[in-house]
Amino acid sequence: MALLEILKYPNPALRKETEPISEFNNELHELIKNMAETMYDAPGIGLAAPQVGVNKQLVVIDLHPKDEERQLIVLINPEISEGEGSVVDEEGCLSVVDLSANVSRFAHVKVKAQNAQGDPIEFEAEDWFARVIQHEVDHLHGILFIDHLSRLKRALYKKKRKKQLHELVNMSK
Ligand code: NI
């Protein structure tokens, strides 16, 4: 197993549409293990393949990453088939450093996906679980949670991030 590098905004790899997965082989299982390890190490409650530079439809989620009873959820080729209600809550993202903000999401979703073995799965999710799934599925379509914020908030974050990166470059000179 290995820790993977988590790409940060504004890395263009985070903006790509991802490819569906059709081979459920050892290579995929290795990637899942490495993504899970990277998520727990971060620590985070969800990680999508594009965040580690892999352009595929794969996300890992664990709502209780710190508990001894971890329960890893692996979703391959996930799709939100239905959504209803809306709820606003605070979100952050391992790829969007130093920002958390309120985002409106469906309160309840129906999800279609495949598991690590390629078997089709279908389930309903609500509350925080529904939010995390929506956030991670967004990643598979090149969408970040900042895209759900007002234009002003997004512009402020871009500016702050630019300044941060500029300072990093200057420090390394
Ligand atoms: Ni994220």
Side-chain angles (χ1 to χ4, degrees):
M1 289 203 282
L3 289 180
L4 306 170
E5 187 197 350
I6 299 176
L7 305 180
K8 307 287 191 323
Y9 174 88
N11 191 307
L14 295 168
R15 293 310 201 171
K16 287 184 186 161
E17 184 67 39
T18 51
E19 302 286 337
I21 289 172
S22 54
E23 290 192 46
F24 297 81
N25 52 19
N26 286 343
E27 196 187 333
L28 176 69
H29 294 150
E30 193 63 23
L31 174 63
I32 291 168
K33 277 186 202 162
N34 290 340
M35 279 179 56
E37 198 190 0
T38 303
M39 174 181 74
Y40 289 127
D41 180 75
I45 55 171
L47 189 67
Q51 294 181 272
V52 293
V54 177
N55 194 38
K56 288 183 180 167
Q57 293 183 5
L58 162 63
V59 309
V60 293
I61 293 171
D62 195 328
L63 298 178
H64 306 285
K66 285 180 192 165
D67 289 356
E68 286 180 4
E69 304 243 329
R70 286 177 174 175
Q71 206 181 355
L72 183 69
I73 296 159
V74 177
L75 300 179
I76 294 167
N77 305 325
E79 235 178 89
I80 290 163
S81 54
E82 275 178 52
E84 61 183 35
S86 80
V87 60
V88 174
D89 207 341
E90 196 168 289
E91 274 180 40
C93 178
L94 294 174
S95 294
V96 181
V97 294
D98 298 331
L99 184 74
S100 55
N102 280 336
V103 178
S104 174
R105 299 278 188 189
F106 289 128
H108 189 113
V109 291
K110 275 190 186 168
V111 182
K112 284 183 185 169
Q114 282 166 280
N115 65 15
Q117 282 67 48
D119 307 318
I121 48 175
E122 206 171 340
F123 60 94
E124 296 185 19
E126 52 186 15
D127 302 326
W128 192 246
F129 187 32
R131 171 171 300 274
V132 175
I133 292 171
Q134 290 169 84
H135 177 116
E136 299 308 330
V137 169
D138 266 1
H139 273 299
L140 303 181
H141 303 292
I143 300 166
L144 300 173
F145 84 93
I146 49 174
D147 301 332
H148 295 285
L149 306 182
S150 70
R151 201 179 290 182
L152 175 67
K153 276 191 192 156
R154 202 163 47 245
L156 282 174
Y157 180 70
K158 266 185 198 173
K159 204 173 151 188
K160 179 177 156 188
R161 185 74 182 131
K162 237 185 190 169
K163 200 175 155 218
Q164 241 176 11
L165 290 172
H166 188 76
E167 281 163 3
L168 278 176
V169 168
N170 283 342
M171 267 195 310
S172 62
K173 268 181 191 165

